[in-house]
Amino acid sequence: MRLRALLETDALGLRLLGGEDELDRSVRGVMTTDLRDPSRYLSGGELVLTGLAWRRDAADSEPFVRILAGAGVAGLAAGEAELGDIPADLVEACARHRLPLFAVHETVAFATITEHVVRQVSGERAGDLAAVVDRHRRLMTSGPAGGGPEVVLDLLGTDLDLHAWVLSPTGRQIAGAGETSLPGPVGAALAGHHLAATRTGRRAPHRATVDGTAYSLFPIRNTGRGALPASRDVRESVLSDWLLAVEADASDWPPARLDLLQGVTQLIAVERDRRDAARTVRRRLAQEVLELVQTGAPPAEIAARLRVAAPVLLPGLGSAPHWQVVVARVEWSDAEGRAGGGTQAGSGSSGSEIAGGPVAQALLEEILVDPAVTGPDSADRIAVAHTGEEAVALVPLPAVGAPAPDRDGERAEGPDRDPALHADVLLAAVREPLSAGLADDGRLTLGVSAAVHSPEGLRGALEEARHARRVAAARPGRVCAAGHHELASHVLLLPFVPDDVRRAFTARLLDPLRDYDRRHRAELIPTLETFLDCDGSWTRCAARLHLHVNTLRYRVGRIEQLTGRDLSRLEDKLDFFLALRMS
């Protein structure tokens, strides 16, 4: 129960003296004391009742309150029977330590408050839990009429005073109780905590604190009848599982409440399985179009298949004037650090390989959801197939430059906007959580094609997206993307340089500088990067590095001396640039 509920119970005769902002604290018990130091009897979460017999003068309040705050008690209730009004020094000490303080009217016995708290926390709550569990079980067997995740989350709020949200693996809100939504950055941070904890094998629920608020994170997986076989390697499912985020610290919850939350996750998992079934049609359409494009089928045959796909993916428009292709690949490193589409799964995996295609498919379906739209049904424009170790998305677009349709298929009001996908925008909101899920042994690379307006253009769009993904793969980082506009750059050549040539080239140019930096902390590599980024401008480079120009000239001279190159020559500048990009 919460402190606020006690204050709202008139029969308890409590009057708030301070700590209004802390009334959502949970009360897990009650303790009556007049000891000057009751810390040995406190475990945290208690409402402490005191008659103030421990107070001899004003100096006693500060150490008493400091002990209570350090023990993590929920609040302090002081009786007025001994001294009449509550002393100002006690009010001030509680304010300094952000400890809620209540005055107990002299006509109210501490036993009355104790009985009420114990009844609420134990006896009556146990009955509530049983009732909630029973309702959840009925919901789980009621099929789609059960009302979906929102009904379950409403029950958690009304019966257990728990705020909870269902989140995607990237932190996108799928469901929440009432109109309370979780801010996007908070959801992304919670998803990152969950993915990192899952990758390290920590046992759920996982505890996370974001912006000073504690959350408990429960994985949502269907382990009941009809569920898919459990993955032998967590990497096969970690990037596609939903999670339940509860605004509470579940570390000391009783088994009955933990069992209840596990039942909630089971219900939501069943509901997710139902909704995932709707993607089967879109996946099949994408697979058929992909096979036609890759096998060089006649454009008329591809066009006929697209006419079937467009009404499913863009309800209300009938056909899609433009299409884009997005290619994604998830790779895991083996024990020696070698990357590949599949890899040995690790201990307990019986040596089996991770299938990269299905992982990339589920992840790409999530990435392509419009981040501004909440709910599990917001993926109605997404058709993703997988072939080999890569996933391929076929994304229909309204006419480029025309107003985009809303969810009902009507033309949106307001200025025209370009509905095309852009590589950097796709990953902006998901980079942080996905990096946590990929950890130290995974990489996601993604390529986006330009929009095409005819079936003849799809084969070229597919190759363009694949080339863009290879450009992204040449970059450092766990999550990288590239778009079609980058294919006009010399950087396109980098992914096709053999690894041994790449290593030899970068070592010959950069290893002398790295060794010198390691011995002298001279920052020659950062200086070289900035100098090239400033197009060789001494003034701009010195200003950016906060150096005197003479100091910059000394560093550049040292770079030229160590490498035998001349940074005034275009050829040498280009060699350094390429070496830095490939390193």
Side-chain angles (χ1 to χ4, degrees):
M1 66 180 304
R2 309 245 177 183
L3 285 175
R4 191 181 303 280
L6 291 174
L7 188 62
E8 294 169 351
T9 305
D10 294 337
L12 300 183
L14 296 178
R15 181 164 50 89
L16 183 65
L17 300 180
E20 184 175 0
D21 295 336
E22 305 292 330
L23 290 181
D24 284 329
R25 292 188 182 187
S26 296
V27 179
R28 294 192 287 269
V30 63
M31 175 190 178
T32 301
T33 184
D34 276 315
L35 295 173
R36 296 168 66 87
D37 181 4
S39 57
R40 72 183 69 180
Y41 304 108
L42 297 172
S43 59
E46 300 93 343
L47 174 67
V48 175
L49 306 176
T50 180
L52 300 178
W54 51 266
R55 182 184 179 278
R56 297 170 187 168
D57 55 45
D60 292 334
S61 293
E62 170 63 23
F64 181 78
V65 173
R66 185 171 61 248
I67 289 169
L68 297 187
V73 303
L76 173 64
E80 294 179 323
E82 182 73 18
L83 301 178
D85 291 337
I86 304 302
D89 49 89
L90 180 59
V91 176
E92 294 168 359
C94 288
R96 281 194 296 272
H97 291 278
R98 302 180 64 84
L99 182 67
L101 175 63
F102 303 88
V104 183
H105 194 271
E106 62 183 2
T107 60
V108 178
F110 283 176
T112 301
I113 300 174
T114 300
E115 181 182 355
H116 178 83
V117 172
V118 170
R119 187 172 64 248
Q120 291 297 314
V121 172
S122 56
E124 285 189 356
R125 185 53 65 200
D128 290 345
L129 285 171
V132 173
V133 170
D134 184 59
R135 267 181 283 180
H136 283 193
R137 285 172 179 163
R138 290 201 304 272
L139 283 170
M140 290 180 70
T141 58
S142 63
E150 290 80 4
V151 171
V152 185
L153 300 183
D154 282 336
L155 285 174
L156 289 179
T158 57
D159 288 62
L160 300 181
D161 198 21
L162 291 175
H163 301 293
W165 300 266
V166 178
L167 304 178
S168 76
T170 65
R172 177 177 59 89
Q173 181 175 321
I174 293 168
E179 297 182 357
T180 304
S181 61
L182 199 64
V186 176
L190 292 176
H193 281 292
H194 172 73
L195 290 172
T198 303
R199 285 301 315 275
T200 56
R202 284 162 48 196
R203 189 173 181 178
H206 310 306
R207 187 185 185 280
T209 301
V210 179
D211 295 338
T213 302
Y215 298 87
S216 295
L217 311 176
F218 297 80
I220 294 176
R221 303 190 188 101
N222 187 0
T223 58
R225 183 178 301 175
L228 295 174
S231 299
R232 288 175 292 179
D233 192 305
V234 69
R235 291 173 292 184
E236 293 181 4
S237 60
V238 67
L239 297 177
S240 59
D241 285 341
W242 286 0
L243 67 138
L244 178 67
V246 181
E247 188 181 328
D249 184 353
S251 58
D252 58 353
W253 280 4
R257 180 168 290 200
L258 289 173
D259 289 344
L260 168 67
L261 267 294
Q262 294 297 337
V264 170
T265 63
Q266 283 292 290
L267 171 58
I268 298 172
V270 171
E271 182 65 20
R272 183 196 174 164
D273 289 346
R274 293 193 188 106
R275 301 193 186 205
D276 278 352
R279 287 189 175 180
T280 303
V281 174
R282 295 194 292 272
R283 285 179 170 181
R284 185 181 302 120
L285 288 171
Q287 198 74 42
E288 290 174 355
V289 174
L290 177 62
E291 290 174 0
L292 291 174
V293 171
Q294 291 192 135
T295 56
E301 187 176 353
I302 299 175
R305 183 53 55 189
L306 290 177
R307 283 194 294 272
V308 173
V312 176
L313 302 177
L314 281 179
L317 285 189
S319 63
H322 295 81
W323 298 84
Q324 269 183 289
V325 176
V326 182
V327 172
R329 188 181 181 100
V330 175
E331 297 177 296
W332 304 101
S333 302
D334 60 17
E336 285 74 34
R338 295 187 297 265
T343 185
Q344 297 301 313
S347 61
S349 63
S350 303
S352 63
E353 290 188 349
I354 301 173
V359 176
Q361 181 182 40
L363 196 53
L364 190 51
E365 287 173 336
E366 168 63 24
I367 291 172
L368 291 175
V369 174
D370 185 349
V373 180
T374 60
D377 295 324
S378 57
D380 57 1
R381 292 175 52 202
I382 300 165
V384 183
H386 70 83
T387 173
E389 296 299 333
E390 70 179 10
V392 179
L394 189 67
V395 182
L397 304 172
V400 175
D406 62 18
R407 291 292 163 183
D408 297 322
E410 300 295 332
R411 295 286 178 174
E413 298 294 332
D416 293 354
R417 66 181 181 88
D418 181 358
L421 302 174
H422 299 277
D424 52 346
V425 176
L426 283 177
L427 295 183
V430 301
R431 191 182 305 274
E432 182 179 348
L434 290 185
S435 296
L438 292 164
D440 295 329
D441 59 349
R443 283 200 83 201
L444 166 67
T445 51
L446 184 145
V448 181
S449 78
V452 295
H453 64 276
S454 67
E456 292 88 345
L458 277 179
R459 187 176 182 87
L462 176 60
E463 291 306 313
E464 190 173 58
R466 283 173 169 163
H467 282 306
R469 192 206 64 78
R470 294 188 188 102
V471 170
R475 295 172 175 167
R478 291 289 164 196
V479 181
C480 299
H484 60 90
H485 60 282
E486 299 179 64
L487 299 186
S489 167
H490 60 273
V491 179
L492 174 63
L493 302 176
L494 299 185
F496 307 102
V497 177
D499 287 343
D500 54 345
V501 175
R502 184 194 304 254
R503 285 191 294 268
F505 180 72
T506 57
R508 189 163 55 249
L509 276 177
L510 300 183
D511 279 2
L513 306 183
R514 291 185 178 126
D515 292 342
Y516 192 87
D517 280 348
R518 203 159 33 241
R519 293 195 309 270
H520 303 283
R521 299 182 180 179
E523 298 187 354
L524 296 184
I525 292 288
T527 300
L528 176 61
E529 291 174 329
T530 306
F531 185 74
L532 294 174
D533 192 48
C534 292
D535 298 323
S537 169
W538 297 96
T539 304
R540 283 193 290 128
C541 182
R544 186 179 298 185
L545 292 173
H546 305 289
L547 296 175
H548 191 279
V549 173
N550 289 340
T551 303
L552 175 61
R553 291 186 183 278
Y554 171 80
R555 288 188 182 180
V556 170
R558 179 64 67 184
I559 292 171
E560 293 175 335
Q561 179 186 14
L562 292 170
T563 61
R565 299 299 185 104
D566 183 355
L567 278 168
S568 66
R569 298 179 66 249
L570 176 61
E571 294 87 346
D572 287 344
K573 285 180 183 177
L574 182 59
D575 282 349
F576 276 122
F577 176 80
L578 292 173
L580 289 168
R581 292 300 295 266
M582 290 191 295
S583 64

